[in-house]
């Protein structure tokens, strides 16, 4: 395996900030060597290497690759990953092939956090410095894996848990999870009847629950800002104890969106206020990523077939306004508008 | 060292002597004293180099053990009854991943109705999960089987469940010989895993397997369990030599040489049955008993050889496979399959939910099996009157309520509390 140099959180921070202006974005290739962000390095570990079977435009594959590569760099590749059952597990390891270039263990759907606790305990007892990451989708995290996750948090076990949140059970054919947004059509919340799609007033935002455990570090992230994602992973790996990162990863299949719109959707989810991006340490929110220019949630919804029933016959359903109210509440709660105080 | 000691504490000391590196604890009666005992040894520092983790459920307990074992640590946990069912998915997973976890099962009934007392329903529920299941007859054997279990598990890369009767063994204070550390160290080498999570040699463990290989994987799991039938006696022999006493083996026989009637049972009830056998032998009956230690793997050939000369085989078991009968009896029946002139098989269900199995009832049972055999499963000491009344009541009344409460009400009516 390629050994890359270990990065400190500050080093992983993006040196230049590129704002997306509705054009094809500029990237690393246009800046000098020193200013390039690390992911462009040829030394990256490619922990989740090519050849896997994710769908075209899969946000989870993208998020996982950046997250695990950042963690590999931060730990000098001394890292073990535990994976919950789900898309990420299935598309990376059809026996006897594997896309993982780090030690990787899949046990069950609901126990990734507990299995990771066991791996971390083994490392401690064997006096090894090897770090441990557990990862799963939103179903494996917010629903079936919730008890094990809360236990791992409460014990402050030395595990970084990463949830790739695509807002539903995509591996089993797009069913509702407790992370599915209101009004979204899934196979178990079909777009039929007087209240089509997922009901309002349900679901949970796990990052807040994680914060309530007073663990050392909680963050949300998005595949629309990979440098921010990398920085958060690197920061998480610089801390010991229970840590949680939830990454918003659009699912073209489950959301009924074009494969080429994955990053765009992820960005609109943030810029509309629907998906607040923040960090918290020891039970307190320490930083929220500001929205440069708030976009109406309608722009985000209309690109996805799972919300198509909100725009039938060219008329906006009143529930679009209810979703907008949710965005506005997030903006108020996390102070998402105003000056960006990020470095 | 001889000690007058509670079974759970004796097992805790034996487990500590095996130098476990990760122990996961979640309380459930009647195994709780065991993990409490080992936990105290970790806390005092008597058991060094061991992580003791208080988890939030049995599912997590075994999951933590899975992670620890896959990362190369010797892992232990204990459970019982509902706890075993709650971790069921992980029970199968640990076996499928070939992880040599050792788990004590303080055998207890499964609800509803909720019942904390001893029977073997929990072990039976997981009998096909791919674990080796060993049943202890005494607390001395419980101690020895745990030490044997780690050796066996790690030799085969297969988890082992040591089944000990809840309360009858776990809470009984009796004389137990606890080996010393040097004896255990000589018997049990450090854990050397066949596959381990190691950043120097990255491997993916737990990948998906399709129809092209699943049958072969399962066949090899079955094949590997069969190896235990050879290893259990071999390791038991080594243990006997080191500790100076016989424990384990796949089964033990008692006065079966010329026996026309052979009783088969598992666990602590074998002690009572031996007393009855002695009494009946004194009266001239040709009767003996097989104490089955290894339920999984099931020693088919050995049982066939021992049971073939008998006229009657009586299986006494503490479990009921509802809708079929006794699972142990079914397995014994399978062992006798296609045997010419095979003995008659008599299935008895006894001791459910902690009901005492008395010598008097066993004597009656063994006599009846020979003189007036029954068909199907016989429920020892069944209150036929209460059952009859309840069946009649349910036929008459649609909204008949809870069977469990109705039976209790009947019993209360039949045995009213004295006034005042």
């Amino acid at each position: 395996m390629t050994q890359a140099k270990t990065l400190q959180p500050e080093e992983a921070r993006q040196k230049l900030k590129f704002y997306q202006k509705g054009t094809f974005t500029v990237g690393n290739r246009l800046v000098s060597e020193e200013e390039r962000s690390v992911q462009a390095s040829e030394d990256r570990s490619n922990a989740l290497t090519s050849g896997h079977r994710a769908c075209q435009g899969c946000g989870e594959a993208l998020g996982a690759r950046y997250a695990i590569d950042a963690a590999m760099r931060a730990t000098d590749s001394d890292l073990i990953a535990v994976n919950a059952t789900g898309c990420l597990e299935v598309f990376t390891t059809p026996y006897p092939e594997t896309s993982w270039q780090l030690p990787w263990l899949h046990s069950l759907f609901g126990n990734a956090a507990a299995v990771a606790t066991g791996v971390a305990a083994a490392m401690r007892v064997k006096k090894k410095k090897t770090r441990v990451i557990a990862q799963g989708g939103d179903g494996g995290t917010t629903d079936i894996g919730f008890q094990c996750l809360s236990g791992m948090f409460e014990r402050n076990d030395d595990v970084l848990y990463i949830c790739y949140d695509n807002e539903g059970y995509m591996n089993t054919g797009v069913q509702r999870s407790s992370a599915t947004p209101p009004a979204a059509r899934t196979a178990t919340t079909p777009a039929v009847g007087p209240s089509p799609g997922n009901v309002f007033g349900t679901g949970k935002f796990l990052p807040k629950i994680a914060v309530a455990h007073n663990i050392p570090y909680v963050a949300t992230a998005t595949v629309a800002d990979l440098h921010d994602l990398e920085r958060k992973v690197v920061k998480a790996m610089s801390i010991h104890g229970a840590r949680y990162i939830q990454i918003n990863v659009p699912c073209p299949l489950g959301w009924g969106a074009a494969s080429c719109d994955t990053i765009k959707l992820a960005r609109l989810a943030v810029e509309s206020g629907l998906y607040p991006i923040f960090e918290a340490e020891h039970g307190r929110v320490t930083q929220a990523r500001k929205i440069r220019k708030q976009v109406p949630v309608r722009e985000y919804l209309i690109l996805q077939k799972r919300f198509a029933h909100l725009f039938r016959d060219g008329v906006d359903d009143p529930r679009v306004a209810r979703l907008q109210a949710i965005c506005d509440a997030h903006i108020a709660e996390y102070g998402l508008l105003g000056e960006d105080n990020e470095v | 060292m001889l000690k007058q000691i509670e079974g759970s504490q004796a097992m805790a000391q034996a487990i500590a002597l095996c130098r476990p590196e990760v122990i996961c604890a979640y309380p459930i009666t009647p195994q709780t004293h065991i993990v409490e005992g080992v936990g105290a040894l970790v806390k005092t520092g008597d058991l060094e180099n061991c992580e003791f983790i208080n988890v939030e459920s049995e599912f997590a307990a075994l999951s933590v053990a899975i992670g620890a074992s896959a990362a190369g640590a010797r892992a232990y946990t204990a459970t019982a009854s509902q706890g075993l069912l709650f971790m069921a998915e992980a029970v199968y997973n640990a076996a499928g991943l070939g992880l040599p976890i050792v788990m004590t099962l303080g055998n207890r009934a499964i609800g509803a109705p909720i019942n904390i007392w001893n029977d073997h329903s929990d072990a039976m529920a997981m009998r096909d999960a791919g674990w080796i299941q060993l049943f202890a007859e005494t607390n001395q054997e419980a101690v020895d089987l745990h030490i044997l279990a780690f050796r066996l598990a790690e030799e085969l890369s297969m988890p082992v469940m040591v089944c000990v009767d809840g309360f009858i063994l776990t809470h009984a204070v009796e004389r137990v010989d606890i080996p010393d550390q040097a004896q255990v160290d000589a018997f049990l080498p450090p854990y050397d895993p066949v596959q381990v999570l190691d950043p120097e040699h990255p491997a993916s463990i737990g990948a998906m397997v399709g129809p092209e290989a699943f049958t072969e994987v399962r066949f090899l799991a079955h094949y590997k369990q069969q190896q235990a039938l050879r290893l259990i006696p071999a390791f038991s022999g080594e243990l006997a030599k080191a500790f100076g006493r016989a424990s384990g083996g796949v089964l033990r026989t008692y006065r079966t040489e010329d026996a026309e009637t052979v009783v088969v049972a598992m666990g602590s009830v074998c002690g009572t049955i031996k007393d009855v056998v002695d009494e009946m032998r004194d009266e001239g009956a040709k009767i003996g008993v097989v104490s089955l230690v290894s339920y999984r793997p099931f020693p088919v050939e050995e049982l066939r050889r021992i049971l073939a000369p008998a006229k009657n085989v009586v299986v006494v078991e503490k479990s009921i496979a509802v809708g079929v009968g006794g699972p142990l009896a079914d397995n014994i029946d399978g062992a006798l399959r296609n045997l010419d002139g095979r003995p008659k098989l008599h299935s008895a269900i006894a001791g459910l939910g902690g009901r005492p199995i008395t010598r008097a009832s066993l004597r009656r049972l063994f006599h009846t099996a020979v003189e007036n055999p029954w068909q199907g499963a016989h429920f020892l000491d069944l209150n036929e009157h209460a059952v009859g009344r309840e069946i009649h009541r349910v036929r008459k009344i649609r909204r008949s309520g809870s069977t469990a409460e109705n039976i209790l009400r009947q019993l209360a009516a039949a045995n009213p509390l004295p006034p005042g």
Side-chain angles (χ1 to χ4, degrees):
Chain A
M1 194 184 305
T2 316
Q3 294 288 323
K5 85 178 174 81
T6 310
L7 285 175
Q8 297 309 310
E10 285 309 305
E11 290 181 82
R13 193 177 287 268
Q14 188 182 0
K15 296 173 183 85
L16 286 180
K17 190 132 191 159
F18 303 113
Y19 287 110
Q20 313 298 330
K21 304 289 281 181
T23 62
F24 291 105
T25 181
V26 295
N28 268 310
R29 66 186 185 281
L30 298 184
V31 297
S32 67
E33 190 91 16
E34 302 75 53
E35 287 178 316
R36 281 183 192 172
S37 57
V38 284
Q39 187 59 35
S41 163
E42 288 175 1
D43 293 335
R44 74 175 187 213
S45 54
N46 257 330
L48 170 55
T49 195
S50 57
H52 60 69
R53 300 177 184 188
C55 305
Q56 195 178 38
C58 173
E60 185 174 37
L62 179 67
R65 183 158 66 83
Y66 274 70
I68 301 299
D69 273 358
M72 288 286 272
R73 283 197 303 276
T75 59
D76 232 349
S77 302
D78 195 8
L79 185 68
I80 293 172
V82 174
N83 215 122
T85 309
C87 277
L88 184 60
E89 169 258 327
V90 170
F91 76 65
T92 57
T93 57
Y95 179 85
E97 297 156 12
T98 178
S99 292
W100 297 104
Q101 306 209 60
L102 79 169
W104 178 94
L105 172 64
H106 162 246
S107 173
L108 296 168
F109 198 3
N111 71 353
V115 172
T117 290
V119 175
M123 292 306 111
R124 207 155 53 238
V125 82
K126 294 195 174 292
K127 300 181 175 56
K128 289 185 182 170
K129 292 202 157 54
T130 309
R131 307 298 299 278
V132 184
I133 283 183
Q135 51 184 355
D138 50 290
T141 304
T142 69
D143 290 341
I144 197 169
F146 184 62
Q147 181 175 309
C148 285
L149 183 68
S150 178
M152 187 274 279
F153 286 166
E154 168 274 316
R155 292 185 300 267
N156 199 24
D157 293 326
D158 192 13
V159 172
L160 167 61
Y161 191 104
I162 301 177
C163 170
Y164 305 102
D165 176 15
N166 58 18
E167 304 180 345
Y169 290 90
M170 304 321 187
N171 188 44
T172 45
V174 196
Q175 292 84 20
R176 176 201 182 270
S177 80
S178 61
T180 301
R185 177 204 70 187
T186 70
T188 47
T189 54
V192 294
S195 312
N198 193 25
V199 290
F200 280 77
T202 61
K204 56 178 134 170
F205 186 51
L206 193 62
K208 279 178 89 165
I209 304 172
V211 171
H213 285 76
N214 288 336
I215 56 175
Y217 187 70
V218 175
T220 56
T222 168
V223 289
D225 191 344
L226 291 168
H227 295 299
D228 182 61
L229 162 61
E230 291 181 304
R231 182 184 64 78
K232 284 169 174 166
V233 171
V234 171
K235 182 170 180 179
M237 295 318 289
S238 73
I239 300 167
H240 284 268
R243 292 143 288 145
Y244 180 73
I245 297 179
Q246 182 168 307
I247 308 171
N248 181 239
V249 290
C251 171
L253 178 85
W255 294 11
S259 297
C260 59
D261 279 346
T262 295
I263 304 298
K264 186 176 186 181
L265 282 169
R267 187 179 310 121
L268 289 170
V270 174
E271 298 292 306
S272 63
L274 194 59
Y275 214 89
I277 302 297
F278 69 95
E279 286 174 284
E281 292 175 46
H282 300 287
R284 295 170 68 90
V285 175
T286 53
Q287 193 176 43
R289 184 190 190 279
K290 303 287 183 184
I291 297 170
R292 254 182 106 232
K293 183 169 172 291
Q294 187 187 355
V295 295
V297 74
R298 188 180 191 284
E299 289 183 27
Y300 167 73
L301 301 173
I302 205 159
L303 294 172
Q304 305 171 58
K305 287 205 186 83
R306 64 174 172 160
F307 295 113
H309 54 277
L310 299 178
F311 305 101
R312 274 181 195 146
D313 307 321
V315 181
D316 283 12
D317 186 283
R319 286 172 303 154
V320 175
R322 290 186 71 181
L323 281 157
Q324 185 60 53
I326 291 171
C327 296
D328 296 343
H330 284 162
I331 288 168
E333 181 179 355
Y334 292 95
L336 299 178
L337 291 178
E339 282 304 302
D340 191 347
N341 56 4
E342 268 188 84
V343 178
Chain B
M1 185 185 173
L2 281 176
K3 290 182 181 176
Q4 187 72 9
I5 189 171
E6 188 203 43
S8 293
Q9 295 305 323
M11 283 180 252
Q13 291 181 16
I15 291 150
L17 289 170
C18 294
R19 301 185 188 276
E21 293 169 299
V22 176
I23 293 172
C24 320
Y26 190 78
I28 182 168
T29 304
Q31 61 77 32
T32 313
H33 290 182
I34 304 173
V35 285
E36 285 172 1
V38 203
L41 291 171
V42 175
K43 197 86 172 166
T44 57
D46 289 320
L47 174 53
E48 293 175 317
N49 218 25
C50 179
E51 293 283 328
F52 184 83
I53 302 172
N54 282 296
V55 290
E56 76 286 350
S57 75
E58 289 89 356
F59 179 60
L62 191 52
S63 297
V64 169
I66 285 171
S69 186
R74 184 172 284 165
Y76 169 83
T77 190
T79 193
S81 180
Q82 316 295 139
L84 184 70
L85 294 197
F86 192 54
M87 65 165 68
E89 194 189 8
V91 172
Y92 274 77
N93 189 250
L97 291 172
L99 299 174
I101 297 160
V102 171
M103 177 163 71
T104 311
L105 185 67
N107 292 110
R108 166 183 152 180
I110 287 171
I114 187 168
N115 175 303
I116 62 165
W117 292 279
N118 168 244
D119 70 29
H120 290 170
S121 312
D122 49 6
M124 292 300 135
M126 286 296 114
R127 64 185 177 152
D128 301 325
W131 287 54
I132 289 168
Q133 289 182 314
L134 306 176
F135 281 78
E137 184 178 329
T138 62
N139 275 326
Q140 183 65 67
E141 187 168 46
V143 160
D144 296 342
L145 284 182
H146 277 93
I147 300 163
L148 185 133
F150 281 104
R151 174 87 183 270
L152 187 63
E154 289 168 14
E155 177 70 24
L156 287 173
S157 294
M158 179 173 272
V160 179
M161 203 182 288
V162 182
C163 303
V164 292
D165 283 323
F167 295 110
I168 299 168
L169 292 180
T170 56
H171 288 55
V173 176
E174 58 185 3
R175 196 180 77 157
V176 180
D177 189 2
I178 313 272
D180 62 38
Q181 188 66 64
Q183 285 176 309
V184 177
D185 285 349
F187 176 76
L188 181 63
Y191 172 35
D192 183 15
V194 295
Q195 188 180 32
V196 68
L197 294 167
D198 177 8
E200 294 295 319
H201 305 96
S204 295
I205 304 177
M208 185 175 237
V209 173
E212 72 281 8
F214 203 79
T215 303
E216 286 68 24
V217 170
R218 279 289 171 269
F219 171 85
L220 289 169
H222 180 60
Y223 171 81
K224 203 159 72 163
Q225 269 226 353
Q226 303 294 312
Q227 308 306 303
L229 291 173
R230 175 176 55 78
L231 289 175
I232 294 168
F235 291 157
S236 300
E238 269 187 51
L239 211 122
K241 207 182 271 178
F243 299 173
R245 59 174 171 269
S247 270
V250 292
L251 55 79
R252 282 188 306 279
T253 57
Y254 183 74
R255 304 187 84 166
T256 52
E257 302 74 32
D258 60 342
E260 292 176 355
T261 302
V262 177
V263 183
V264 183
M266 300 193 295
S268 61
V269 74
C270 292
T272 317
I273 294 172
K274 282 178 191 169
D275 287 347
V276 175
V277 163
D278 284 343
E279 289 169 11
M280 290 176 69
R281 278 277 178 183
D282 289 347
E283 293 157 13
K286 290 187 170 177
I287 185 166
V289 56
V290 172
S291 309
L292 189 62
V293 178
S294 174
Y295 182 58
R296 287 291 180 271
F298 198 68
V300 171
E301 294 303 324
E302 190 80 351
L303 282 164
R304 219 173 146 87
R305 186 178 61 73
I306 293 163
L307 300 179
K311 288 182 182 161
N312 289 288
V313 171
V314 186
V315 179
V316 178
E317 61 184 307
K318 294 181 175 182
S319 54
I320 167 74
V322 176
V324 183
L328 176 59
D330 276 358
N331 285 163
I332 300 282
D333 204 27
L336 300 174
R337 188 184 294 158
N338 299 333
L339 190 69
D340 287 335
R342 54 168 283 178
K344 289 200 176 70
L345 188 74
H346 313 280
S347 166
I349 314 294
L352 296 185
R355 176 162 299 185
I357 303 175
T358 64
R359 289 193 315 209
S361 296
L362 287 171
R363 275 176 74 94
R364 265 200 310 278
L365 181 79
F366 302 153
H367 280 296
T368 310
V370 176
E371 291 152 17
N372 185 21
W374 61 88
Q375 294 294 314
H378 172 80
F379 285 69
L380 191 69
D381 295 338
L382 180 75
N383 185 337
E384 288 176 8
H385 180 71
V387 166
R389 280 177 63 111
E390 177 62 7
I391 290 170
H392 182 66
R393 221 179 61 80
V394 168
R395 277 202 192 123
K396 276 202 317 197
I397 308 167
R398 174 66 203 164
R399 186 164 291 191
S400 55
S402 150
T403 300
E405 285 165 29
N406 291 337
I407 294 287
L408 288 175
R409 207 169 287 125
Q410 272 197 54
L411 294 179
N415 302 291
L417 290 170

